[in-house]
Amino acid sequence: MKISYNWLKQFIKLPEDAEKTGELLTDLGLEVEGIHSFQSVKGGLEGIVVGHVLSCEKHPNADKLNLTKVNIGNGEEVQIVCGAPNIAAGQKVPVATIGTVLYDEKGEEWQIKKGKIRGESSFGMICSEKEIGIGSSHEGIMVMENDLIPGTPVAEIFEVENDKVFEIGLTPNRADAMSHWGVARDLKAGYQQTSKSLELITPSVSNFHVDSRSLRIPIFVEDSSLAPRYCGITISDVKVQESPKWLQNRLKAIGLTPKNNIVDVTNYVMHELGQPLHAFDAAKITGNEIHVKTLETGTKFTTLDEVERELHEEDLMICDKEKPLCIAGVFGGLNSGVSVNTNQVFLESAYFNPVSVRKTAKRHGLNTDASFRFERGIDPSITEYALKRAALLITELAGGEITSDIDDLYPKKIEDFQVFLTFDKVNKLIGENLEEETIKSILASLEIRVNNVTETGMGLTIPSYRVDVQRESDVIEEILRVYGYNNIKINEKFNASVSISSKFEDYKLQNIIANQLVGQGFYETMANSLTMPSHIDLSEQLKSEYNVEMLNPLSSDLSVMRQSMLFSGLESIRHNLNRKRRDLKLFEFGKTYHSYVSGRVENKHLSVFVSGNRSGESWNSAGQKGTFFYLKGIIEVIFQRLGIKNLKSGASKNDVFAEGIMLSSAKAKLVEFGVVKKSILKHFDIDQEVLFADFNWDAVIEIAKTQSNKFVGIPKYPEVRRDFALLLDEAVSYAEIETIATQTEKKLLKEVNLFDVYQGDNLPEGKKSYAVSFTFQDENKTMTDKQIDKIMSKLQYRFENELKAELR
């Protein structure tokens, strides 16, 4: 937001320069991001003086050029070659002296230098209005008043305005500072704490009066919740023309382009007081009535930017008896605004519902100065005052007379907010004991009224323009920013206590697993929890009625909370694939959101994605593709790290997988993982296999808490390994082999591992070969061959009898 230093000085007599003022604004919470210079004429007419043309003769070598002798002050006479047709002896003219910088139409600078034109020396330039930037005429040189003294700086004659403009990074809560008046209020409070008592000068409307009642336009508000206050007045016999220079300079300084005196006044008052206004051509109001209402969805309306828009049933509109004229608080209509032919004006000043304005502005993709203010909340108490201020300025600058009383529809007054402030809470939050009188002084400077005072605190009334101050902590924040953050002393002694927390805290387990996955070459992602509602169509297990919908979505692509971690992960994979990164290993801790009949539910998840090769290309090794079993190994290591054992496996019923497995404990499903269906990948334009694992992280944490880990010393005695090559029926699973082995030898068998599978030539039809290793260890002594052979014989006997296995 841009704030003019000169404009501020109309409200408060600032005792310091712009730089010091900017420092105070930043201390007050209105962070000044930069201070820029503004000149009403670029270059400030520096180096341009009044010249007296002493003589004018034809150039000896050019028919269209003249040789002039010009007195530029202090008795100095210079020769200047001039081609203007209206140059003549005796004139007073603007002369750009040697070294002066001028600017062309594109804003590019060029410097006046001594030179020769057709053999004759020229020591300057006699300028037109356009060349020095004070007008548009370029037909000839500018002829000035004859009583001017040669050598007088032209900047003094045309009163070039030099200003400093603050770029303020306004936070959304500071709606009260969206005007020069609001910023001046803060400066007054800030200076008061430095023992500089400054008066806040507000524009007077005491001269306001109704000249006649010849043009009353009645106002009808259909829904006062959307327009709690609406004021209007008419002004007749106005003359629409260019605004005076002072008004143009004010608007130009803050980046606005002047239009005409009527529109400029509405913009001026909006940036002066923070109250948006709108002027209608009264002759274009059919039926001489204003109706503030909503219209049917699909109603066509063309706005000032000549774009035809389809209205929504919740868009509040300003209408006449037959048609819409303006989108309330957002944008005017093409066919109802002020033009050069306007003679009568209906002037509107209103307080519109901030939520309604915000929704309408976002719905139509509009962001105007008016909507910026309305949607953050303006001061409902100045609606009439701002209307009077604008009406007086219009009659001053455009003539005419006020031809109706102010029609003010305010059925239910918006009451000021009440807060009780406790002294202990002030001192606790600020970290310093403030005197009661200091607190009262700061509150008074902020126009927060003290209603009553007790031993523990005080009852306060918050002014209507501070829509963001509604809690005790908000008031304390106001006290602190005016008192000054820099004035809070830092204690040399700090006290702290050690908190007792469980090793199973969510963030601790997240860090453990995240570090492990990063060590295995994974990257952590953080996706948006908002997603497209159409994603639920990719899985029958997701239901539209379970969607948690946004009341005011930024776009249709971000209108619901995600029900699955899969689709945001696939969007990340697509993003990387489009940038030629095809080997991907990603993980994310995040939540899914569901709206059930019983209430809304959030579930914590860990999602893991593998696509492409396990590692990047290398000259000394071939790339290994990430497979289903690679992902299974990653999952097993995660559970091992958390100490979770004895999980049951089964087929996943999740329809996002072409092939999938589920691991669960006795109490809950912990993870589902597998190969994502090609139909889903095609929806995201992904052309390579994607492996996905979805952990129920809440359940994982609960199971981890129940696991007991026992630490033992490293065994002194060696392990022994024996292998079997088993010929089995194709229907036999490795899980059956592992179960029989662990049941046969519970004490000495430490590990069973399948290290080779063969199916093909030289095997009977319907058979397969498993190579299985068995690792044994006795923690108390070295095992003997006889002992090991006995166990292997038992295993062989059970495999042959229960699985019909044969040793190869």
Side-chain angles (χ1 to χ4, degrees):
M1 187 184 70
K2 294 182 178 180
I3 294 293
S4 159
Y5 178 69
N6 289 348
W7 201 340
L8 279 178
K9 290 194 291 186
Q10 292 182 204
F11 290 98
I12 186 171
K13 302 300 182 184
L14 296 171
E16 297 176 313
D17 61 19
E19 284 69 25
K20 288 292 185 181
T21 304
E23 291 176 10
L24 178 57
L25 285 172
T26 299
D27 289 342
L28 288 167
L30 301 177
E31 184 180 359
V32 176
E33 298 175 339
I35 302 177
H36 309 294
S37 296
F38 167 78
Q39 293 176 312
S40 56
V41 178
K42 193 166 184 179
L45 301 179
E46 188 175 344
I48 304 173
V49 299
V50 174
H52 182 199
V53 181
L54 302 174
S55 65
C56 179
E57 300 175 354
K58 286 292 181 184
H59 192 292
N61 302 317
D63 293 338
K64 294 185 178 181
L65 298 178
N66 298 295
L67 283 179
T68 63
K69 289 286 186 183
V70 183
N71 176 7
I72 59 172
N74 297 325
E76 184 180 358
E77 297 179 5
V78 295
Q79 178 174 284
I80 299 177
V81 178
C82 180
N86 63 331
I87 187 70
Q91 293 174 335
K92 299 289 176 65
V93 294
V95 177
T97 56
I98 301 298
T100 299
V101 175
L102 298 179
Y103 298 85
D104 61 18
E105 294 180 357
K106 297 180 181 179
E108 296 179 0
E109 63 179 43
W110 54 285
Q111 191 176 41
I112 302 297
K113 299 179 181 179
K114 174 186 175 182
K116 282 193 174 184
I117 302 176
R118 294 290 184 92
E120 295 292 337
S121 297
S122 183
F123 298 88
M125 176 179 171
I126 302 174
C127 304
S128 66
E129 290 181 358
K130 190 173 184 179
E131 286 166 338
I132 62 176
I134 63 171
S136 57
S137 175
H138 194 52
E139 296 177 358
I141 55 98
M142 178 182 182
V143 180
M144 306 175 74
E145 297 293 332
N146 201 43
D147 57 352
L148 295 175
I149 300 172
T152 303
V154 172
E156 295 180 5
I157 299 170
F158 291 102
E159 298 181 352
V160 175
E161 180 162 355
N162 293 289
D163 197 358
K164 296 288 185 179
V165 180
F166 302 108
E167 287 280 356
I168 294 179
L170 192 67
T171 52
N173 64 306
R174 292 303 306 276
D176 64 296
M178 294 186 297
S179 66
H180 287 77
W181 187 20
V183 173
R185 269 193 310 244
D186 254 23
L187 286 171
K188 176 180 179 292
Y191 276 118
Q192 187 168 316
Q193 296 310 303
T194 62
S195 301
K196 295 177 182 176
S197 183
L198 304 178
E199 181 185 359
L200 188 64
I201 306 166
T202 55
S204 173
V205 293
S206 59
N207 291 333
F208 178 85
H209 65 279
V210 178
D211 297 298
S212 70
R213 293 174 175 79
S214 57
L215 182 62
R216 180 175 179 266
I217 297 180
I219 302 168
F220 303 93
V221 177
E222 293 190 1
D223 188 347
S224 61
S225 66
L226 298 180
R229 188 174 190 183
Y230 192 96
C231 299
I233 196 173
T234 63
I235 307 171
S236 300
D237 298 326
V238 298
K239 184 178 181 182
V240 179
Q241 57 190 358
E242 191 177 81
S243 296
K245 290 297 181 185
W246 69 265
L247 178 52
Q248 291 190 40
N249 290 339
R250 286 283 178 267
L251 298 180
K252 287 178 181 178
I254 58 173
L256 298 183
T257 302
K259 304 292 184 184
N260 57 59
N261 49 2
I262 305 295
V263 174
D264 291 351
V265 164
T266 62
N267 285 329
Y268 179 83
V269 173
M270 175 172 63
H271 288 274
E272 179 186 49
L273 303 178
Q275 170 68 56
L277 303 112
H278 191 73
F280 299 88
D281 187 332
K284 298 175 182 177
I285 299 175
T286 304
N288 270 11
E289 289 181 3
I290 288 291
H291 295 262
V292 184
K293 61 182 181 179
T294 56
L295 299 175
E296 293 182 358
T297 296
T299 302
K300 306 290 185 182
F301 179 67
T302 304
T303 45
L304 277 171
D305 54 1
E306 300 182 4
V307 174
E308 185 179 73
R309 305 177 188 275
E310 283 194 10
L311 300 178
H312 186 271
E313 61 183 5
E314 294 181 0
D315 293 337
L316 185 65
M317 303 296 295
I318 311 300
C319 310
D320 59 22
K321 255 192 170 184
E322 297 179 357
K323 62 185 183 299
L325 304 174
C326 172
I327 303 178
V330 181
F331 211 23
L334 181 63
N335 300 315
S336 63
V338 172
S339 67
V340 291
N341 299 318
T342 298
N343 179 256
Q344 295 175 319
V345 170
F346 174 77
L347 189 61
E348 160 199 285
S349 177
Y351 176 84
F352 297 118
N353 183 289
V355 175
S356 173
V357 173
R358 171 72 172 174
K359 286 183 176 180
T360 297
K362 295 300 292 183
R363 193 178 291 123
H364 296 288
L366 294 169
N367 183 21
T368 61
D369 283 340
S371 68
F372 178 82
R373 286 160 175 78
F374 276 124
E375 65 193 29
R376 284 161 176 79
I378 62 171
D379 182 2
S381 69
I382 67 165
T383 309
E384 183 183 14
Y385 168 67
L387 186 67
K388 290 180 177 180
R389 168 68 169 157
L392 288 172
L393 280 174
I394 289 174
T395 56
E396 177 185 338
L397 303 181
E401 57 181 19
I402 297 172
T403 49
S404 74
D405 291 309
I406 293 178
D407 207 346
D408 185 1
L409 277 68
Y410 196 15
K412 185 178 180 181
K413 184 180 179 182
I414 299 173
E415 299 294 337
D416 292 341
F417 206 79
Q418 307 293 318
V419 172
F420 187 81
L421 179 71
T422 56
F423 298 130
D424 285 345
K425 189 70 174 289
V426 172
N427 298 330
K428 182 179 179 181
L429 287 185
I430 291 179
E432 189 168 317
N433 293 329
L434 300 186
E435 296 291 336
E436 183 179 326
E437 289 306 314
T438 301
I439 295 174
K440 288 182 179 179
S441 173
I442 293 173
L443 293 174
S445 70
L446 292 170
E447 300 180 17
I448 296 176
R449 191 168 69 251
V450 178
N451 300 323
N452 55 76
V453 181
T454 66
E455 291 183 1
T456 59
M458 55 183 71
L460 307 174
T461 298
I462 311 300
S464 57
Y465 61 81
R466 289 312 306 266
V467 295
D468 61 314
V469 180
Q470 297 190 350
R471 302 171 301 171
E472 184 181 18
S473 56
D474 295 331
V475 177
I476 297 171
E477 181 186 357
E478 291 298 295
I479 294 170
L480 178 56
R481 72 179 182 85
V482 175
Y483 180 75
Y485 293 97
N486 296 332
N487 293 326
I488 302 298
K489 298 174 184 177
I490 299 176
N491 294 328
E492 295 181 359
K493 180 181 178 182
F494 288 95
N495 297 320
S497 59
V498 178
S499 63
I500 300 174
S501 62
S502 168
K503 65 180 180 180
F504 297 107
E505 291 285 346
D506 186 3
Y507 75 93
K508 291 183 178 180
L509 295 185
Q510 278 193 47
N511 288 339
I512 289 171
I513 299 306
N515 289 335
Q516 177 172 303
L517 288 171
V518 169
Q520 292 175 292
F522 282 78
Y523 288 92
E524 184 172 8
T525 65
M526 288 183 285
N528 198 334
S529 296
L530 297 173
T531 188
M532 298 174 63
S534 61
H535 282 165
I536 62 170
D537 299 332
L538 300 175
S539 172
E540 293 182 0
Q541 294 180 335
L542 307 179
K543 306 293 184 182
S544 60
E545 57 264 30
Y546 298 160
N547 274 337
V548 178
E549 299 181 352
M550 296 294 99
L551 294 176
N552 188 23
L554 295 173
S555 68
S556 58
D557 291 346
L558 299 171
S559 59
V560 299
M561 306 292 281
R562 64 183 174 188
Q563 291 190 42
S564 170
M565 299 285 287
L566 172 62
F567 307 121
S568 55
L570 292 178
E571 288 172 349
S572 296
I573 290 175
R574 177 178 61 190
H575 181 86
N576 281 274
L577 291 177
N578 290 340
R579 286 152 182 80
K580 307 302 181 184
R581 294 181 60 89
R582 304 192 68 82
D583 301 327
L584 301 168
K585 296 193 294 183
L586 311 173
F587 72 96
E588 179 189 3
F589 288 97
K591 290 185 176 182
T592 58
Y593 307 83
H594 300 80
S595 181
Y596 299 123
V597 175
S598 57
R600 291 178 178 172
V601 176
E602 296 182 14
N603 295 316
K604 189 74 172 285
H605 294 259
L606 164 62
S607 61
V608 179
F609 294 87
V610 176
S611 187
N613 292 328
R614 302 183 195 179
S615 58
E617 291 180 328
S618 175
W619 64 272
N620 62 355
S621 64
Q624 285 185 296
K625 185 180 178 182
T627 64
F628 180 89
F629 292 101
Y630 170 71
L631 179 61
K632 182 173 181 289
I634 296 293
I635 293 168
E636 289 175 347
V637 171
I638 289 174
F639 284 127
Q640 287 176 8
R641 184 66 183 84
L642 296 174
I644 298 176
K645 303 179 288 290
N646 302 324
L647 298 179
K648 297 179 181 179
S649 65
S652 172
K653 297 180 181 180
N654 196 324
D655 62 357
V656 301
F657 296 119
E659 302 171 2
I661 289 179
M662 176 185 70
L663 298 179
S664 60
S665 68
K667 296 182 178 180
K669 176 179 69 179
L670 299 184
V671 63
E672 288 183 289
F673 63 96
V675 181
V676 179
K677 279 183 178 180
K678 288 185 178 180
S679 58
I680 295 177
L681 299 181
K682 184 178 179 181
H683 179 82
F684 289 90
D685 296 324
I686 296 174
D687 59 359
Q688 64 185 41
E689 185 179 74
V690 175
L691 303 163
F692 168 57
D694 183 16
F695 288 81
N696 180 350
W697 189 250
D698 292 323
V700 169
I701 292 176
E702 291 304 313
I703 295 298
K705 291 178 181 178
T706 66
Q707 304 299 306
S708 58
N709 295 318
K710 184 178 181 181
F711 294 91
V712 296
I714 298 174
K716 297 178 181 180
Y717 302 99
E719 294 179 342
V720 179
R721 169 175 162 162
R722 291 289 187 270
D723 298 342
F724 272 161
L726 300 173
L727 185 66
L728 302 160
D729 291 337
E730 286 185 346
V732 176
S733 68
Y734 166 70
E736 293 176 272
I737 296 173
E738 186 178 32
T739 301
I740 290 173
T742 54
Q743 289 175 350
T744 303
E745 180 52 58
K746 298 179 179 179
K747 182 179 179 181
L748 300 178
L749 181 62
K750 302 300 181 182
E751 184 180 356
V752 182
N753 182 50
L754 177 66
F755 63 89
D756 187 43
V757 177
Y758 177 73
Q759 285 178 288
D761 298 340
N762 302 321
L763 290 183
E765 186 176 350
K767 296 288 185 176
K768 62 184 177 182
S769 175
Y770 273 4
V772 185
S773 68
F774 303 89
T775 303
F776 304 97
Q777 187 179 46
D778 190 331
E779 296 178 1
N780 299 312
K781 62 183 179 180
T782 301
M783 295 184 69
T784 64
D785 288 341
K786 183 178 179 180
Q787 190 180 10
I788 297 166
D789 290 342
K790 184 178 179 180
I791 297 172
M792 294 301 293
S793 295
K794 289 181 181 180
L795 291 174
Q796 180 182 346
Y797 176 79
R798 291 197 65 179
F799 291 152
E800 288 175 347
N801 283 275
E802 297 179 29
L803 302 179
K804 308 301 180 186
E806 298 178 24
L807 288 183
R808 293 185 67 199

